[in-house]
Amino acid sequence: MTTLKATLREDLTTAIKARDELRSSTLRLTLTAITKEEVAGKEARELSDDDVLKVIAKEAKKRREAAEAFAQGGRTEQAARELAEGELLDAYLPKQLSDDELAAIVASAVEEARAAGAEGPRAMGAVMKIVNPKVAGLADGGRVAATVKKLLA
């Protein structure tokens, strides 16, 4: 078992013993998503810590999107719970890049792409190929794409 998955299970046990309903339900759902990912495909496999991080990031993103949808629908109590679950999951993820750090990485990638002959908005794909490996897990894809578009314009 990966160390991150083991940590999640230990935290779940602690949350259950402490009768922390929010934390225990969130961790249960996350561990279920991890298990589902492990058995998806043709054969079962053990996820690495990086794969587990991707599942946690996906779950946290779902919570943020659900909170936004609930808030737009006027269900503030449900939106607050989804936000709390998302923040709980964010604690297991690596620290996200600040806007300035992200802009610096994207700016160097834009220069690299221009040196390779890519220009204008059509350079988006080339820049994203350079940026994505550098910021994997450290910045949301939407934020990265928006920053790239802004710097290419």
Side-chain angles (χ1 to χ4, degrees), residues 10-12 18-19 34 44 49 57 83 89 95 113 123 130 132 135:
E10 289 167 11
D11 290 351
L12 173 61
R19 299 193 188 286
I34 291 168
D49 273 349
L83 278 176
L89 291 175
K95 184 180 175 292
I130 297 168
N132 277 337
V135 300

Side-chain angles (χ1 to χ4, degrees), residues 68-110:
E68 195 175 299
F70 281 127
Q72 288 175 354
R75 298 183 60 190
T76 55
E77 189 176 302
Q78 193 67 32
R81 180 177 172 95
E82 292 290 336
L83 278 176
E85 288 180 4
E87 288 171 8
L88 197 149
L89 291 175
D90 285 341
Y92 294 96
L93 297 172
K95 184 180 175 292
Q96 296 289 296
L97 292 173
S98 70
D99 289 338
D100 293 337
E101 293 169 325
L102 180 60
I105 292 171
V106 171
S108 71
V110 167

Side-chain angles (χ1 to χ4, degrees), residues 54 67 70 81-82 88 93 111 114 122 128 134 136:
K54 287 177 188 171
F70 281 127
R81 180 177 172 95
E82 292 290 336
L88 197 149
L93 297 172
E111 291 305 315
R114 285 193 176 136
R122 287 180 286 164
M128 290 299 283
K134 295 178 182 177

Side-chain angles (χ1 to χ4, degrees), residues 22-118:
L22 175 73
R23 181 176 290 275
S24 62
S25 68
T26 304
L27 292 175
R28 270 194 188 109
L29 287 170
T30 304
L31 284 165
T32 300
I34 291 168
T35 303
K36 188 175 176 183
E37 187 68 28
E38 286 178 334
V39 298
K42 294 189 187 265
E43 60 184 58
R45 66 192 199 287
E46 183 77 23
L47 295 182
S48 68
D49 273 349
D50 287 340
D51 294 333
V52 171
L53 277 175
K54 287 177 188 171
V55 173
I56 294 172
K58 192 183 331 176
E59 290 295 310
K61 184 178 179 185
K62 278 185 199 175
R63 300 306 190 290
R64 285 191 297 274
E65 290 171 352
E68 195 175 299
F70 281 127
Q72 288 175 354
R75 298 183 60 190
T76 55
E77 189 176 302
Q78 193 67 32
R81 180 177 172 95
E82 292 290 336
L83 278 176
E85 288 180 4
E87 288 171 8
L88 197 149
L89 291 175
D90 285 341
Y92 294 96
L93 297 172
K95 184 180 175 292
Q96 296 289 296
L97 292 173
S98 70
D99 289 338
D100 293 337
E101 293 169 325
L102 180 60
I105 292 171
V106 171
S108 71
V110 167
E111 291 305 315
E112 195 176 321
R114 285 193 176 136

